[in-house]
Amino acid sequence: MKIDILYKPSYSVAKINLDSGESIKAEAGAMMSMSSHLGIETHKAQKGGFLKSLKAAFLGGESFWMNTFSAAQPGELLLAPTLPGDIEKLDLNGTIYVQSSSFLASSPAIEMDTKFQGMKGFFSGESLFFLKLSGVGTLLIGSYGGIEALDVDGEFIVDTGHIVAFQEGLDYKITKFGGWKSFFFGGEGLVAKFSGKGRLWIQTRNVPTLGAWFRSELPPKKR
């Protein structure tokens, strides 16, 4: 399998060349184009039955369905994320946690589950679950904006809306940004304070902030 990331970093597309016998699974709706002879199978997002896939869909924010593209003979597949931004190719060997909107595609051997964040998810204003991806193979993650990879050894603070993914070995807690004055008037609100050792991926744009901007631009409702 050969993967090239085109048009980095603003409107990235993954160009995937599959050899005979190779396959890749992708988020539903991610396919831009493909060779006509590639096979496609639509299946539940997770192995382990209906309820496990349902949990990923409704609690993790992931689509209930995924598509697996397979090549009986060499072929080409183009995949694109929903939001305008970058794509990062990771060689996974272990476990990584990915925010639900950032998963794009992976090798079929990589397993997906969900990770409950507990009460800290309620206070962050973000999804209550991350997708837990485990195994050995290729993983494609997407972002809103560019992706920055950070190697954390100790503590590091990230706005919750900028988290893309983080390796097992890092933990985090939700806390307010600075003092109470900064919390109410500094425009940051709540942040994630990571601790431990591992790699952390963040995005340069923030989806909740974009939503708030759109809401502010809408005309007031007529009464």
Side-chain angles (χ1 to χ4, degrees), residues 103-175:
F103 174 82
L104 181 61
S106 73
S107 302
I110 293 178
E111 295 188 3
M112 178 186 293
D113 203 344
T114 49
K115 175 181 172 63
F116 182 53
Q117 297 182 59
M119 290 302 294
K120 58 189 175 185
F122 287 100
F123 296 120
S124 72
E126 307 297 328
S127 168
L128 295 179
F129 287 79
F130 281 106
L131 298 176
K132 179 182 179 182
L133 302 169
S134 302
V136 178
T138 300
L139 171 64
L140 296 177
I141 57 174
S143 66
Y144 175 42
I147 295 179
E148 178 74 8
L150 305 168
D151 290 313
V152 177
D153 188 359
E155 290 188 339
F156 205 82
I157 295 173
V158 181
D159 183 287
T160 53
H162 288 270
I163 300 170
V164 173
F166 57 94
Q167 288 180 329
E168 192 172 45
L170 287 175
D171 197 9
Y172 72 96
K173 63 180 180 180
I174 301 298
T175 183

Side-chain angles (χ1 to χ4, degrees), residues 28 53 59 69 93 110 130 154 157 159 175 184 195 203 223:
S53 290
L59 300 180
F69 300 88
N93 185 5
I110 293 178
F130 281 106
I157 295 173
D159 183 287
T175 183
F184 284 109
S195 60
Q203 59 191 10
R223 296 187 178 183

Side-chain angles (χ1 to χ4, degrees), residues 32-51:
M32 281 181 58
S33 64
M34 69 179 198
S35 299
S36 60
H37 57 268
L38 290 182
I40 179 170
E41 178 187 0
T42 301
H43 53 87
K44 295 187 293 292
Q46 292 184 308
K47 296 179 180 180
F50 178 85
L51 292 178

